[in-house]
Amino acid sequence: MDKGKILSKLPSVDELLNNKKIINLLEKVPRNVVVNEIRNSLERYRKKILSMDGEILNKFKIDIDEIVFNVVDNSHEFMEMNLREVINGMGTVLHTNLGRALLSETIRERVWSVASGYSTLEIDVLTGKRGIRYSHVIEIIKFITKAEDVLVVNNNAAAVMLALSTMAKDREVIVSRGELVEIGGSFRVPDVMEQSGTRLVDVGTTNKTHLWDYESAINENTAALLKVHTSNYRILGFADSVGLGDLVELGKKNNIPVIEDIGSGVLVDLRKYGLMYEPTVQESVAAGVDVVTFSGDKLLGGPQAGIIVGKKRYIDKMKKNQLTRAFRIDKLTLVALEATLRLYLDEEKAMKSIPTLRMLTEPLDSINARAKMLYGMIVSKKLDLDVSIGENYSEVGGGALPLEKLPTYVITIKAKNISSAQLEDRLRKYSTPIFTRVNDDRVIIDLRTVKEKQYETIVQALVETVGKQ
Ligand SMILES: *Cc1c(COP(=O)(O)O)cnc(C)c1O
């Protein structure tokens, strides 16, 4: 049979709209969506036919059921929210691809009330006059960090760009070669500097940079000394870098400001809680760094944001930069940031109610107890799988504490009827996607990053993906 004849037998859009299954579908899915999916399915079917020839073409019969099945399936898929909650069973606390820091449940109402209502975003309630967007977080960030002034933007990349563009456009900025960082592919220090219109002057070597390296690069064109935190790697062994204090002193002596991109920007000294050292914002401010930038959604545990703290005269200049308008933080971010920062007024409260800090410092026996609970729930279903509790390590992730390996407890699963790679794949494609790791041919769920209210979903997903014994 020739292709034209087959194609002419394809059902029309109207015919399909009268199909029983499609009529049922129309009760749940808007007509324009269904019509669109019918057109897409017919188009795919047409292309399939056009690509056939020989024996295959001769034997080919149009299968209406297949077309209808595709329309129903794709229409339902189209109606689903794409951006939705997943279960992080990988144990990486700050997973950039899974959305980094989780907001605290305790701020839910505050965020929603500003999101769904009019707000004090840019109005001064005392005078009724126009207010300043940033005012909501300025005092609290000053209080926590002891900095002179504050500005907040979209993310830390924007913060660095704004600082460099304001303080060093068309001039030189000196950076150590050991600090030419790349974060997650899209943030690269040399590229950000180029984009901001500053000239990178890299000094020292990968493993060692001395104070005199900076000193001998200073000239009348030098606009700033830049220090970048090596967030996601460490240079160990025969290595040396210049301490903040020395760099600040060198800057003062030459009347050149020091800018520090501290990356994660932690506000509490994590050593107190048994974690490795990660420099705090307060230390940089106290050391006299002129401008410090950091992220809102890394160890701070808030929404995506870039926070700039430092000397008033530089921040004032930044406020006048047109980039500040382009990098403007929105009200949802701002209210979530303010509410998160307020939790820091009581450090004990912050450690308990900010999920990032709570997950990083959860005691091992508490994780173990939670592992046992989930284990019991899975075992009680008598599924066709081998399940046990194992010891493992979680990671901090998100470009912070790169060497920290946090001991943890995990559920390890080996299904009897499918491979571990298949199980991992099916769990990820579950209606609430569950992200796991495969280790030694077993699927691993790290309890550190799993909430108790998610256990039921995990059990249900296992029931549906591997079935009963
Ligand atoms: C994470 C990080 C950035 C980028 O921060 P975003 O908030 O993701 O834009 C920049 N510099 C350093 C050192 C970082 O660790």
Side-chain angles (χ1 to χ4, degrees):
M1 216 190 315
D2 71 66
K3 286 183 188 178
K5 229 175 190 163
I6 300 180
L7 287 176
S8 70
K9 287 192 178 151
L10 271 176
S12 69
V13 174
D14 281 336
E15 276 171 78
L16 286 170
L17 281 170
N18 284 317
N19 178 287
K20 233 178 137 187
K21 288 203 175 112
I22 302 277
I23 290 171
N24 284 339
L25 178 69
L26 284 167
E27 283 174 17
K28 293 186 202 114
V29 180
R31 187 182 167 90
N32 53 358
V33 173
V34 174
V35 169
N36 185 47
E37 289 305 337
I38 289 176
R39 292 215 171 98
N40 290 343
S41 290
L42 287 174
E43 185 52 33
R44 273 195 303 273
Y45 218 74
R46 201 169 283 131
K47 283 204 177 116
K48 193 165 114 181
I49 294 167
L50 287 172
S51 72
M52 290 179 196
D53 46 34
E55 234 355 64
I56 300 173
L57 185 65
N58 282 337
K59 285 197 182 140
F60 187 73
K61 271 208 165 66
I62 287 171
D63 182 350
I64 302 278
D65 285 347
E66 187 192 334
I67 298 175
V68 169
F69 179 85
N70 275 329
V71 171
V72 172
D73 217 40
N74 293 339
S75 298
H76 282 307
E77 200 179 303
F78 188 82
M79 295 302 288
E80 282 230 351
M81 275 296 288
N82 253 308
L83 184 55
R84 58 193 200 272
E85 188 175 359
V86 305
I87 294 176
N88 174 8
M90 295 192 290
T92 304
V93 176
L94 293 169
H95 197 297
T96 297
N97 303 133
L98 299 186
R100 284 199 190 154
L102 314 186
L103 294 184
S104 172
E105 292 281 348
T106 63
I107 69 169
R108 176 203 290 260
E109 205 35 58
R110 294 181 185 283
V111 174
W112 184 242
S113 67
V114 166
S116 60
Y118 297 110
S119 63
T120 55
L121 182 63
E122 281 187 0
I123 203 122
D124 183 334
V125 282
L126 294 182
T127 62
K129 297 223 165 73
R130 189 183 167 162
I132 298 160
R133 173 177 295 253
Y134 310 102
S135 66
H136 309 288
V137 290
I138 288 177
E139 288 312 315
I140 191 157
I141 296 176
K142 281 206 283 198
F143 180 82
I144 295 169
T145 65
K146 309 292 180 245
E148 263 180 42
D149 207 356
V150 176
L151 187 58
V152 286
V153 289
N154 255 328
N155 54 25
N156 188 26
V160 175
M161 180 90 80
L162 178 59
L164 288 173
S165 149
T166 307
M167 297 165 70
K169 199 170 173 58
D170 299 327
R171 297 180 65 200
E172 294 176 0
V173 173
I174 304 174
V175 194
S176 159
R177 290 199 171 96
E179 299 174 2
L180 297 176
V181 175
E182 169 174 322
I183 308 281
S186 53
F187 181 94
R188 308 180 94 190
V189 168
D191 299 345
V192 172
M193 294 186 70
E194 192 187 324
Q195 189 72 45
S196 68
T198 64
R199 267 199 310 284
L200 163 72
V201 178
D202 47 349
V203 297
T205 60
T206 304
N207 56 327
K208 282 207 174 199
T209 303
H210 304 278
L211 193 63
W212 44 261
D213 286 318
Y214 289 92
E215 203 161 11
S216 56
I218 292 177
N219 63 46
E220 70 282 354
N221 256 324
T222 308
L225 307 176
L226 174 66
K227 189 153 182 68
V228 184
H229 183 44
T230 57
S231 299
N232 48 6
Y233 67 100
R234 292 286 183 270
I235 296 169
L236 304 173
F238 187 67
D240 208 358
S241 61
V242 175
L244 263 191
D246 290 339
L247 207 57
V248 168
E249 206 167 299
L250 181 66
K252 280 215 179 91
K253 209 168 77 188
N254 293 277
N255 219 355
I256 298 169
V258 174
I259 303 171
E260 184 181 23
D261 170 11
I262 199 175
S264 174
V266 64
L267 297 177
V268 295
D269 185 349
L270 292 174
R271 284 174 297 187
K272 283 193 281 184
Y273 303 93
L275 295 171
M276 283 171 110
Y277 174 65
E278 178 79 14
T280 65
V281 179
Q282 291 92 327
E283 281 172 287
S284 294
V285 173
V289 177
D290 297 274
V291 167
V292 185
T293 77
F294 53 101
S295 297
D297 58 351
K298 290 186 180 172
L299 288 172
L300 193 150
Q304 178 189 307
I307 303 171
I308 309 171
V309 301
K311 304 272 163 65
K312 190 168 183 325
R313 63 175 185 281
Y314 299 115
I315 304 262
D316 274 344
K317 263 183 87 180
M318 287 181 217
K319 286 179 187 159
K320 294 191 189 106
N321 190 324
Q322 273 302 307
L323 282 178
T324 301
R325 178 62 177 78
F327 295 159
R328 188 162 90 167
I329 189 168
D330 81 298
K331 65 181 176 181
L332 290 187
T333 309
L334 202 49
V335 67
L337 184 62
E338 184 189 350
T340 303
L341 288 165
R342 287 196 177 279
L343 298 171
Y344 277 96
L345 295 178
D346 179 346
E347 188 176 310
E348 214 176 302
K349 203 157 133 191
M351 298 307 294
K352 282 205 192 92
S353 55
I354 295 176
T356 301
L357 299 177
R358 186 177 58 222
M359 286 189 270
L360 287 175
T361 58
E362 180 173 3
L364 199 50
D365 53 0
S366 157
I367 301 177
N368 190 15
R370 296 202 294 115
K372 283 179 179 155
M373 196 192 294
L374 179 56
Y375 172 82
M377 288 169 67
I378 296 171
V379 167
S380 76
K381 294 286 179 194
K382 301 203 186 313
L383 300 173
D384 204 10
L385 45 78
D386 172 49
V387 53
S388 63
I389 296 176
E391 291 177 20
N392 214 298
Y393 292 95
S394 324
E395 281 180 20
V396 179
L401 297 159
L403 305 185
E404 186 86 64
K405 285 262 175 211
L406 301 165
T408 190
Y409 281 97
V410 297
I411 299 286
T412 86
I413 301 168
K414 177 87 187 85
K416 294 188 182 136
N417 54 354
I418 52 172
S419 73
S420 289
Q422 277 173 316
L423 181 57
E424 183 272 338
D425 185 67
R426 288 192 196 174
L427 290 173
R428 180 164 29 77
K429 289 173 180 162
Y430 189 62
S431 53
T432 301
I434 302 170
F435 285 82
T436 61
R437 286 188 280 150
V438 177
N439 228 337
D440 286 336
D441 197 31
R442 292 178 77 87
V443 166
I444 289 193
I445 302 174
D446 187 335
L447 269 290
R448 183 183 297 277
T449 47
V450 177
K451 303 172 185 172
E452 264 166 53
K453 63 175 185 196
Q454 294 172 328
Y455 294 177
E456 200 59 61
T457 310
I458 293 174
V459 173
Q460 191 53 33
L462 287 171
V463 169
E464 288 175 36
T465 49
V466 299
K468 302 257 184 199
Q469 252 167 1

